[in-house]
Amino acid sequence: MTSNAIDRLIAGLNRLPGIGAKSARRIALEMLTWDTEEVTALAKMMVEVKTAVRRCSVCFNLTESDPCPICSDPRRDRSLLMVVDYVADLLAIEQTSTNRGVYHVLDGRISPLDGIGPEDLHIQELLERLKQNEIKEVVLANGPTVEGDATAQYLGQCLEPLNIKVTQIARGLPVGSDLTLADQVTLARALEGRRELL
Amino acid sequence: MTSNAIDRLIAGLNRLPGIGAKSARRIALEMLTWDTEEVTALAKMMVEVKTAVRRCSVCFNLTESDPCPICSDPRRDRSLLMVVDYVADLLAIEQTSTNRGVYHVLDGRISPLDGIGPEDLHIQELLERLKQNEIKEVVLANGPTVEGDATAQYLGQCLEPLNIKVTQIARGLPVGSDLTLADQVTLARALEGRRELL
């Protein structure tokens, strides 16, 4: 609009997920107030991440070393394997520090409408890992969507003949929310998944 | 968490305006799915903008050439000057294509609580421009906040002795919204600024 360089940067930032035209403009103008060194540092980080980071050959987590820090951490319980749809899910769970086991990233969800079938996910590699007899429990932590549920269901069928304990993380009321605000499906799943207290 | 390079990038992105921890994580993971060339191109744009872009010596717009494309556009009405708080405001107005005049960017708003006084803004430069007798109308387009109004009021006092027509863009109901949703002050200003239709 006033400078090609700014316009190009705004268009570039606009391609990032969750960044609309107005956010892109705001970020571009903010960057202009930064020191050149700061902007250069951020630009460098972006390029570095592309060259430094690859997939863990065991669990498909993003990592700089193979196997990834989680897979090679001796304090991790190797008999407990949590299956997640995406690396973002793994990171979210890691932030809660509640999984003492290891992971397997499927890198997608079964979605016939988008043409994504089981063969597009790292399911074969999961079954190979389970053959090693080290794993005692598989926790399915697929997303609470139709696609996530379909993926979990498919995995359940695959795992049934293996005689391994398979669990799924609970669907229910999000903590801190209100019962009256919950949608019908969530409320129904919360009732279905009720636990004995006494 | 799993890779220092990703963690650093997330922390870097987190410093951008409007990008929280979760957005930063999402953007970083998305970048990893991009081609290296795409990420490098965006990184390059960021650095280029810092070296290519400076302030227009006339209106303080951001520009690659001095004076800026608006100030040097012969089709612009040089007798009509619109005063804005920030470059972002100028860009927003330019997108509407409703200002056929030129601009003056103050680069801030008077805000005693933040220690920002009139001397911190480009007000002296504005008064110098007005001395050249070319400008017939000054349109105050300061933001509709306490600080924006304080800035407009101060400018009004400065401009009074100069015998130039001074106008202010209207405060009123945003188009497409609902009367019942408007806050009291906006509604009061809308009534105050009512116009004769017949």
Side-chain angles (χ1 to χ4, degrees):
Chain A
M1 203 153 347
T2 62
S3 144
N4 288 329
I6 300 180
D7 286 350
R8 275 197 305 272
L9 177 59
I10 291 173
L13 292 168
N14 198 185
R15 296 190 48 237
L16 295 172
I19 306 292
K22 285 186 185 177
S23 301
R25 198 200 289 163
R26 192 175 157 208
I27 292 172
L29 292 175
E30 168 87 10
M31 274 186 192
L32 280 163
T33 69
W34 286 14
D35 288 340
T36 304
E37 293 74 43
E38 290 179 286
V39 176
T40 312
L42 180 58
K44 222 175 134 192
M45 287 175 204
M46 284 165 48
V47 177
E48 268 175 3
V49 96
K50 284 298 291 181
T51 51
V53 176
R54 54 207 152 137
R55 294 298 185 137
C56 171
S57 61
V58 180
C59 75
F60 296 97
N61 182 16
L62 292 166
T63 180
E64 283 169 76
S65 55
D66 191 15
C68 77
I70 296 175
C71 285
S72 45
D73 185 346
R75 290 162 302 177
R76 290 283 182 156
D77 183 354
R78 248 151 269 271
S79 71
L80 183 68
L81 185 133
M82 188 175 275
V83 179
V84 292
D85 299 332
Y86 300 105
V87 172
D89 301 326
L90 182 157
L91 295 178
I93 293 168
E94 277 301 284
Q95 279 203 319
T96 69
S97 308
T98 45
N99 180 27
R100 54 188 175 75
V102 290
Y103 292 92
H104 190 86
V105 180
L106 296 174
D107 228 11
R109 292 173 186 154
I110 295 174
S111 174
L113 284 175
D114 301 312
I116 301 172
E119 65 285 356
D120 298 313
L121 314 181
H122 298 305
I123 292 178
Q124 202 50 52
E125 292 92 338
L126 172 66
L127 298 176
E128 291 296 325
R129 279 180 84 179
L130 294 174
K131 276 187 194 158
Q132 292 159 25
N133 282 324
E134 205 183 14
I135 291 148
K136 295 200 173 63
E137 179 178 350
V138 174
V139 183
L140 300 179
N142 305 92
T145 63
V146 175
E147 291 81 14
D149 278 341
T151 311
Q153 209 173 355
Y154 180 86
L155 288 175
Q157 285 165 13
C158 296
L159 301 179
E160 208 177 3
L162 300 180
N163 261 323
I164 300 174
K165 185 176 172 188
V166 178
T167 57
Q168 185 177 31
I169 59 167
R171 277 85 166 99
L173 297 173
V175 178
S177 76
D178 195 291
L179 212 110
T180 58
L181 294 175
D183 63 282
Q184 288 182 23
V185 182
T186 299
L187 205 47
R189 295 292 287 271
L191 287 170
E192 208 179 290
R194 67 192 178 280
R195 290 165 60 176
E196 278 188 41
L197 269 186
L198 293 175
Chain B
M1 204 150 351
T2 62
S3 144
N4 289 328
I6 300 180
D7 286 351
R8 275 196 304 272
L9 177 60
I10 292 174
L13 292 168
N14 198 184
R15 296 191 49 236
L16 296 171
I19 306 292
K22 286 186 186 178
S23 301
R25 199 201 287 163
R26 191 173 158 210
I27 293 171
L29 292 175
E30 169 87 9
M31 274 185 191
L32 281 164
T33 69
W34 286 14
D35 290 338
T36 305
E37 293 74 44
E38 289 179 286
V39 177
T40 311
L42 180 57
K44 220 174 134 191
M45 286 175 204
M46 284 165 49
V47 177
E48 269 174 5
V49 97
K50 283 298 292 183
T51 52
V53 176
R54 54 207 151 137
R55 295 296 185 138
C56 170
S57 61
V58 180
C59 74
F60 297 97
N61 182 16
L62 292 165
T63 179
E64 283 169 75
S65 54
D66 190 15
C68 76
I70 296 174
C71 284
S72 45
D73 184 347
R75 291 163 302 178
R76 290 282 184 157
D77 183 351
R78 248 150 268 271
S79 70
L80 182 68
L81 185 132
M82 189 175 278
V83 179
V84 293
D85 299 332
Y86 300 105
V87 173
D89 300 327
L90 181 157
L91 294 179
I93 293 167
E94 276 302 284
Q95 279 204 319
T96 69
S97 309
T98 45
N99 180 27
R100 52 184 177 78
V102 291
Y103 292 92
H104 190 87
V105 180
L106 295 175
D107 227 12
R109 291 173 187 155
I110 295 174
S111 174
L113 284 175
D114 301 312
I116 301 170
E119 66 284 358
D120 298 313
L121 314 181
H122 298 304
I123 293 177
Q124 202 50 50
E125 292 92 337
L126 171 66
L127 298 175
E128 290 295 325
R129 279 180 83 179
L130 294 174
K131 275 186 194 156
Q132 293 159 25
N133 281 324
E134 205 183 13
I135 292 147
K136 295 202 173 60
E137 178 178 352
V138 174
V139 184
L140 301 178
N142 306 90
T145 63
V146 175
E147 290 80 15
D149 278 341
T151 310
Q153 209 173 354
Y154 180 86
L155 288 174
Q157 286 165 11
C158 296
L159 300 178
E160 208 177 2
L162 300 179
N163 261 324
I164 301 174
K165 185 177 173 188
V166 179
T167 56
Q168 184 178 29
I169 59 168
R171 277 84 166 98
L173 297 173
V175 177
S177 75
D178 196 292
L179 212 109
T180 58
L181 294 174
D183 62 283
Q184 288 182 22
V185 181
T186 299
L187 205 48
R189 295 292 287 272
L191 287 171
E192 209 179 289
R194 66 192 180 278
R195 290 165 59 177
E196 278 188 43
L197 269 186
L198 293 174

